[in-house]
Amino acid sequence: MPSLDIASKVDLQTLDNAVNTIKKEISNRFDFKDSHVSIELNKKDFVLTIEVESEMKMKQVIDVIISRAMKQGIDANAFNFEKDAYPSGKIIKKEVTVTNGLKQEDAKKIVKLIKDSGLKVQAQIMDEIVRVSGKKIDDLQAGMALCKNGGLNFPLQFTNMKS
């Protein structure tokens, strides 16, 4: 019986490469000359810590993060920019979490989306992945297209497809 796994993970090495590219671009940009900009990646917790001098520079750094990460193949929805920046002396700090693993409520959204569609597939939650199985590979591919176009606000990867 054909099956596939739906996950929401960011490869740590790809993320690290993206952060190094971001640091290099910011160090070369004229508008960041002689200003304090620090971007650190906590590899254990998947958290980016950004330190800048002003709100305007924070917005510019976030734009660079999104554009460079997308060029590295990381979905822009993998970054959670919802936490507000907070002042710390003369600098402004912001912590950006990176999605690593499918949360339980997100997995339930995927299962509900698939079940409500009427496709002839079964979806079940298995820890941090959703396993989708059906009689035909075409049904699985229809389920993949449904999830991609379903308006879910988190990145998805389709792995482990077996026939």
Side-chain angles (χ1 to χ4, degrees), residues 6-9 100-104 107 125-130:
I6 301 174
S8 181
K9 292 183 181 175
N100 189 36
L102 203 55
K103 295 182 194 134
Q104 198 69 25
I125 300 170
M126 301 177 80
D127 221 10
E128 290 189 344
I129 62 168
V130 175

Side-chain angles (χ1 to χ4, degrees), residues 146-158:
L146 178 73
C147 290
K148 284 180 186 176
N149 302 324
L152 301 170
N153 291 330
F154 45 91
L156 295 176
Q157 289 84 35
F158 303 97

